[in-house]
């Protein structure tokens, strides 16, 4: 594990890092992928469907970057279009209807900012996800496995529990984007990363996440088995909570709260 924030950013972007589909294939059983938002198209940057976690049915939604150049181009480098977010929301509402917990894997530098995406309502799609997830009546666990950039990541992270891998990052903007705005120089990305408090330890100390997941043996069977066990335990606990929505609301209200003195 590297200590410098910008080194964490580089690790989070590494092509060899496990992607959403790697987690789906190695943690769950019998995954059935479901496609389309029923409005416009299917978005390969977000993969979702039904699976089993140790025999129990769940809905899984994952942002997918791909590994090879061809895969990354097909997945739009993990930058979802509005139809991707609408697909994710459709699957989450379906999960609510049938009482299935929802598990999200987040890995994106941000939502796609092209003209077409904006014309098709990118901002509204993200806003609808935030609103609907806040009152979803089934347990939601979100895991940041690489980059967690801006509202594009938050659209799948309004959850009862939010976890991060130790070398994942979570921020309102990329270090390069921040440096370009503040100093008109993307070359100051390293300095910006230090200011953004984007590491897992930062997020934990600020109450933004509940758990930091060790990357020991990342990509190996033992790594996935450890996450599978933690997910099973967490969902078992959340499924018995009679005030799920109230506690989820309180969780997000606490973030950024401060008290006046004197």
């Amino acid at each position: 594990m590297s200590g410098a924030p910008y080194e964490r950013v580089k690790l989070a972007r590494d092509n060899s890092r496990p992607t959403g589909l790697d987690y789906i294939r190695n943690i769950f059983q019998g995954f059935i992928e479901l496609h389309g938002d029923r409005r416009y198209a299917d978005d390969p940057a977000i993969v979702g469907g039904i699976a089993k976690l140790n025999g129990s049915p769940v809905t899984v939604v994952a942002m997918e970057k791909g590994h090879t150049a061809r895969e990354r181009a097909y997945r739009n480098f993990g930058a979802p279009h509005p139809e991707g977010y609408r697909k994710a929301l459709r699957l989450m509402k379906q999960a609510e209807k049938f009482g299935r917990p929802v598990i999200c894997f987040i890995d994106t530098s941000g939502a796609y900012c092209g003209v077409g995406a904006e014309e098709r309502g990118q901002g509204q799609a993200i806003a609808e996800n935030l609103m609907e997830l806040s009152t979803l009546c089934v347990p939601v666990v979100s895991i940041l496995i690489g980059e967690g950039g801006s509202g594009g990541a938050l659209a799948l992270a309004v959850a009862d529990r939010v976890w991060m891998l130790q070398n994942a990052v979570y921020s309102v903007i990329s270090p390069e984007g921040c440096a370009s705005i503040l100093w008109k120089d993307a070359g100051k990305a390293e300095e910006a990363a230090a200011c953004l408090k984007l590491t897992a330890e930062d997020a934990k100390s600020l109450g933004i996440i509940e758990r930091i997941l060790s990357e020991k043996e990342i990509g190996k069977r033992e790594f996935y088995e450890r996450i599978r066990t933690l997910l099973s335990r967490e969902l078992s606990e959340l499924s018995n909570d009679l005030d799920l929505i109230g506690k989820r609301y309180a969780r997000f209200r606490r973030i950024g709260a401060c008290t006046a003195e004197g």
Side-chain angles (χ1 to χ4, degrees), residues 21-60:
L21 276 173
D22 293 320
Y23 286 86
I24 290 174
R25 290 164 180 160
N26 287 281
I27 293 176
F28 305 94
Q29 306 86 41
F31 177 67
I32 301 172
E33 185 176 357
L34 302 176
H35 297 272
D37 66 344
R38 301 297 185 267
R39 297 189 191 182
Y40 180 76
D42 186 46
D43 184 2
I46 290 185
V47 176
I50 305 166
K52 286 191 175 181
L53 178 66
N54 291 338
S56 298
V58 295
T59 289
V60 187

